[in-house]
Amino acid sequence: MNLKLIKGMQLLAATHNPGKAREIEALLDGHYRVVTAGSLNLPEPDETESTFVGNALLKARHAADLAGMVALADDSGLSVAALDGAPGIFSARWAGPDKDFAMAMARVEERLEDIGADDRRAWFTSALAVAWPDGPAVVVEGQVHGHLTFPPRGDRGFGYDPIFVADGYDLTFGEMDPGLKDSISHRALAFAKLKAALID
């Protein structure tokens, strides 16, 4: 079986998050026809794994098998050193059923204040999985390290972007030009590995 992503082919992005779908399309340089699990009304699987890699694989396999298409899934999140890596794989769940990331960012700040932590080190992780229907899968992972800043700054990006400043930069991911963010982010690093593995 030829484990390559052929330019022009249709790819299923296993996400219901419009922000994530846009980033995935941008990182694929427009070479693929991307449809989302949300647009096909595919149900979201329960994320029962204990790692980003495990959950990305679970989501990609679920979508590929339901839709009969090659599926790409991302599982990503913010890990905070002083919180023993939380929220980690529960990053989206911290935002509640309404995906209220203003609440989630406030929750991170409250947790840090509760334990009196001065350590603001944090990192984003992105695990990307590509799965073929009833077939093999490839998984890669990227990380970007930095620190947290409060109050949140910027209305670009999504999720926890407004409180994260990558090492070597002054702007939060929420303030940063999307093109710059897409060149240094955890998802960009994972995509670079994925392209090396699957795209000629």
Side-chain angles (χ1 to χ4, degrees), residues 37-119:
S39 70
L40 297 180
N41 295 316
L42 297 178
E44 293 186 88
D46 291 327
E47 295 179 22
T48 51
E49 299 296 318
S50 59
T51 63
F52 291 113
V53 162
N55 279 325
L57 195 52
L58 180 148
K59 288 191 279 192
R61 283 202 186 286
H62 173 81
D65 292 347
L66 278 179
M69 292 166 62
V70 178
L72 168 69
D74 156 284
D75 196 57
S76 52
L78 176 73
S79 298
V80 181
L83 302 181
D84 298 325
I89 60 166
F90 302 110
S91 291
R93 277 173 242 182
W94 275 37
D98 297 328
K99 302 281 190 277
D100 182 349
F101 279 97
M103 178 184 81
M105 290 186 280
R107 197 169 163 191
V108 171
E109 186 177 18
E110 281 165 19
R111 289 277 180 100
L112 288 168
E113 285 173 357
D114 287 348
I115 61 172
D118 294 326
D119 184 357

Side-chain angles (χ1 to χ4, degrees), residues 10-13 15-16 35-43 63 66-69:
Q10 187 156 297
L11 262 182
L12 174 61
T15 182
H16 289 67
V35 295
T36 65
S39 70
L40 297 180
N41 295 316
L42 297 178
L66 278 179
M69 292 166 62

